[in-house]
Amino acid sequence: MTLPVWVALLLCAASAAAAALAARRVGANGEGEKRPKAPGIALESTLREVAATIAARPSRPSDSLGAIVSIIAKAVSADLCAFLLFEEASGELVTQPGAYGLSSGQEGSLYRLPLNNDTSSSVRVFKTGLSFLTGDAQSDPRVISHYVKLWKCHSLMVVPLTLEGKRVGVLRVGSFQKDFFSAEHLRFVELLAEEAVVILGGALLTQKLRETNQRLEELNRLKDEFVSTVSHEFKTPLTSIKGFATVMLEGSPGPINADQRKFLTIIQNACDRLTMLVSELLDISRLEAGVRMEMQEVSLEEMLRVSQENLQWQAESRGIRLSLELRDSLPPIQGDPRWLRQVVDNLLSNAIKFTPKGGSVCMRACLQGDAVEVTVEDTGVGIAPEDQPHIFQKFYRARSQAPLNAPGTGLGLAIAKTVVEKHGGRLWFDSQPNRGSRFYFVLPTAEAAARMQRV
Ligand code: ADP
């Protein structure tokens, strides 16, 4: 069996680390350093084991940390061993899951130390980068006695973990016996930590990315909740404002003059724009939250006809010809009619909105193999090449349409694309400035969708 390249690289890193250690052990005069022998500790084989452990669990950094502490503990016959990594968000050193000698759930197994707690030996080691060794932590005033007593720890070593010049945490190694660790043990653990942290770098980075990701997801959830709550709260007062403006325009409470009519019409239009914004904000947050499509058989043909009828007056009032061409008789598709209607309405109303007076808009639909293809074509202002990559982004409105001053939120196409994709379809466009645009979408026929579900 051949090893993946990156596993081989990790193992090479372990060998290189061991070679570096051997080199460091030999002094300038070629003689080995004088230090007491700590029996049974072998850096090279321990590092190899660490590298192999990380290689075996590439996607589970917390598992790797748990396995590594037990390898280190066994190498120095320790009873306790834990990584405490610095968590930037809280400014604390946090004991990593899987600490050796502590069962999960035991008091202190998820021990956190704020960096302002200078009575802690771990915090001092983290801040100064100087290792710490004591033969009896329980009676040493430089150690917080509560936890060492709880864990029955007497001998204690704490060494810094530094990655690319930056302190990332500490490694704590303990024994139930007094005066168990020598200076040689401490040096061994320091070297091990120095090399292991390099090998661990990728795993630590993954962990950090995961934490950042979780935080971003949480912020995103809060943002969605905020948008959704505010939008709901907007709906009721908006309906009242628009309702009362309409009643006054109809003259029910009494006659109004020309200025009053003008102002009330402005209020009504502003309400329509706000209502549109609120409803699109709610739609996009529902889609992003993963709203379920209520699938049923839908006749696209009928949907296109209804949409054409509904928007005919708008096209006529702007002097635009609106037509519908159906080449084939279309089979039903499987979809959520409420959301699909929104796709069709959005493409059609955009085509009308972005086409100057005298232009034309044509909707076509045909069968293309197992899918129905719908095209909405206009002879309007088109979309400039520099705007084209962005128009499906939320809130993006092309600069090229600015002179038209068409109302809108920049959310319609983002919604339409998401809806079509949720139906297993695709939405795209081509466009030339001042020549017009063509928006297309395809959706699988109901029969094809059912066939795909059976596979
Ligand atoms: P909105 O229409 O509310 O601005 P959309 O998301 O529906 O938002 O569209 C985003 C942008 O894409 C529009 O502002 C416009 O610049 C451009 N666009 C969409 N459809 C067309 C079209 N048929 N012709 C020209 N530009 C278009």
Side-chain angles (χ1 to χ4, degrees):
M1 190 186 72
T2 50
L3 285 175
V5 174
W6 66 278
V7 174
L9 283 175
L10 281 177
L11 292 172
C12 282
S15 297
L21 170 67
R24 270 190 291 249
R25 275 186 168 158
V26 177
N29 58 5
E31 287 173 17
E33 284 171 23
K34 298 251 182 314
R35 58 176 61 180
K37 273 254 172 297
I41 54 177
L43 186 68
E44 183 173 2
S45 59
T46 311
L47 276 172
R48 275 179 174 276
E49 241 186 293
V50 168
T53 304
I54 294 169
R57 298 172 168 84
S59 59
R60 303 280 304 271
S62 55
D63 276 12
S64 306
L65 290 172
I68 290 165
V69 286
S70 79
I71 295 168
I72 296 172
K74 281 178 191 142
V76 292
S77 309
D79 299 305
L80 302 158
C81 186
F83 279 111
L84 276 81
L85 298 183
F86 180 59
E87 190 183 79
E88 260 165 45
S90 61
E92 291 172 327
L93 284 174
V94 182
T95 312
Q96 298 303 298
Y100 182 80
L102 295 178
S103 49
S104 61
Q106 182 180 343
E107 191 190 343
S109 66
L110 293 173
Y111 185 50
R112 300 174 84 92
L113 284 164
L115 277 199
N116 57 11
N117 185 353
D118 280 321
T119 51
S120 150
S121 52
S122 299
V123 168
R124 286 196 311 275
V125 169
F126 179 82
K127 284 183 174 170
T128 61
L130 299 172
S131 302
F132 175 78
L133 169 67
T134 177
D136 190 6
Q138 294 195 20
S139 57
D140 190 326
R142 296 169 301 167
V143 179
I144 303 174
S145 60
H146 172 72
Y147 283 104
V148 281
K149 282 187 181 147
L150 190 76
W151 302 325
K152 301 183 180 64
C153 172
H154 281 288
S155 299
L156 177 67
M157 298 188 276
V158 187
V159 303
L161 295 170
T162 306
L163 185 61
E164 290 169 5
K166 196 173 168 223
R167 201 105 57 238
V168 293
V170 298
L171 175 64
R172 292 161 60 108
V173 184
S175 167
F176 298 150
Q177 298 176 44
K178 285 186 186 168
D179 300 318
F180 186 74
F181 300 124
S182 62
E184 171 99 355
H185 282 106
L186 183 67
R187 187 72 196 120
F188 171 80
V189 173
E190 276 175 347
L191 288 168
L192 195 56
E194 225 171 79
E195 309 301 345
V197 81
V198 175
I199 303 172
L200 252 177
L204 292 174
L205 195 64
T206 314
Q207 177 122 324
K208 207 166 169 138
L209 281 176
R210 188 166 301 166
E211 277 168 21
T212 311
N213 210 23
Q214 272 171 358
R215 174 127 187 84
L216 285 177
E217 272 173 17
E218 174 61 10
L219 285 174
N220 205 29
R221 197 187 54 75
L222 286 175
K223 182 230 15 158
D224 287 347
E225 241 176 62
F226 173 79
V227 167
S228 159
T229 313
V230 170
S231 309
H232 271 296
E233 294 304 317
F234 259 64
K235 261 181 150 176
T236 318
L238 258 180
T239 314
S240 323
I241 297 169
K242 167 133 194 217
F244 285 117
T246 309
V247 170
M248 286 199 271
L249 270 171
E250 282 164 359
S252 307
I256 53 170
N257 63 31
D259 274 348
Q260 287 166 335
R261 176 167 300 279
K262 192 168 122 196
F263 298 148
L264 285 168
T265 309
I266 293 172
I267 293 175
Q268 234 184 5
N269 290 341
C271 280
D272 286 344
R273 289 170 83 144
L274 269 178
T275 308
M276 171 72 106
L277 172 65
V278 164
S279 103
E280 290 196 333
L281 276 173
L282 280 172
D283 284 341
I284 197 88
S285 63
R286 278 190 206 118
L287 286 170
E288 285 179 349
V291 68
R292 224 169 60 94
M293 299 283 121
E294 302 291 333
M295 297 298 202
Q296 53 182 270
E297 281 207 352
V298 176
S299 161
L300 260 186
E301 201 170 311
E302 197 186 313
M303 191 175 277
L304 298 180
R305 282 190 207 288
V306 171
S307 188
Q308 184 203 10
E309 273 168 30
N310 288 345
L311 289 166
Q312 192 72 47
W313 67 269
Q314 193 181 322
E316 276 169 16
S317 68
R318 294 175 48 91
I320 291 164
R321 261 170 298 116
L322 174 59
S323 57
L324 171 64
E325 287 175 17
L326 294 170
R327 232 191 298 148
D328 316 296
S329 144
L330 301 175
I333 57 127
Q334 189 73 11
D336 184 324
R338 131 114 170 71
W339 286 103
L340 287 179
R341 188 163 312 119
Q342 202 169 333
V343 173
V344 176
D345 285 351
N346 175 262
L347 296 184
L348 202 52
S349 72
N350 274 354
I352 297 169
K353 232 168 34 176
F354 298 117
T355 299
K357 198 172 171 182
S360 62
V361 171
C362 179
M363 256 195 308
R364 294 190 194 89
C366 63
L367 190 60
Q368 294 273 20
D370 273 346
V372 175
E373 181 179 292
V374 176
T375 313
V376 180
E377 182 176 350
D378 65 59
T379 58
V381 293
I383 303 165
E386 63 270 23
D387 287 317
Q388 293 193 7
H390 308 291
I391 65 158
F392 291 113
Q393 286 167 11
K394 286 184 277 180
F395 302 107
Y396 191 85
R397 310 200 70 214
R399 266 151 292 170
S400 43
Q401 54 90 16
L404 283 176
N405 197 21
T409 59
L411 284 170
L413 283 180
I415 294 173
K417 193 167 187 328
T418 313
V419 169
V420 169
E421 285 169 3
K422 272 183 182 280
H423 283 78
R426 203 161 69 83
L427 191 155
W428 73 103
F429 71 98
D430 54 53
S431 180
Q432 280 186 33
N434 302 317
R435 306 273 304 263
S437 309
R438 243 184 261 148
F439 280 80
Y440 310 82
F441 68 89
V442 284
L443 291 169
T445 61
E447 203 190 320
R451 215 179 312 126
M452 276 190 289
Q453 263 176 359
R454 282 198 296 272
V455 176

